[in-house]
Amino acid sequence: MSTTSNKAHTDFPSLIVDTTLTETLQEDQLTGGTGRVYAITVENGHSGDIFFAIYDTKNPTAGAAQNCLFRVDQNATMTISSKTGIPISTALSYNCGTSAAGAGSVSSSKAFIYGS
């Protein structure tokens, strides 16, 4: 189970902290409203490249119809930011795997998602 803060608020959380990223989908982190993701920081402590995906749906299928997909190099930290924000209209869900399809277990990786 991942460690998150501000999980499943009725308004978009200002910060989600996930200290144990996994391939398991973290579903429905945003309910009952709209929001925008302004920045995502992913710290890859895994022994290979990882793929971090976000979805604008409550119950996504891993690897299918991601709104955004980012590859993070082995042992690197990457921040993606958007001045206007990535719009979320239904629900913010995310996962992280060793393949672009969302599969493959990752270890020692963290994510910080900032929005409003």
Side-chain angles (χ1 to χ4, degrees), residues 40 42 50-54 68-72 78 80 86:
I40 300 169
V42 177
I50 61 174
F51 294 84
F52 183 85
I54 64 170
C68 296
L69 176 67
F70 307 102
R71 189 187 101 223
V72 183
M78 183 165 123
I80 294 90
I86 302 164

Side-chain angles (χ1 to χ4, degrees), residues 21-41:
L21 279 177
T22 67
E23 65 184 302
T24 303
L25 282 159
Q26 301 302 306
E27 299 175 330
D28 203 9
Q29 301 296 302
L30 165 66
T31 59
T34 62
R36 291 185 179 272
V37 173
Y38 290 102
I40 300 169
T41 297

Side-chain angles (χ1 to χ4, degrees), residues 5-17:
S5 62
N6 296 329
K7 186 173 179 177
H9 278 240
T10 56
D11 295 317
F12 196 93
S14 57
L15 173 63
I16 294 173
V17 177

Side-chain angles (χ1 to χ4, degrees), residues 83-97:
K83 190 179 219 180
T84 58
I86 302 164
I88 302 295
S89 61
T90 303
L92 172 67
S93 299
Y94 64 90
N95 81 317
C96 188

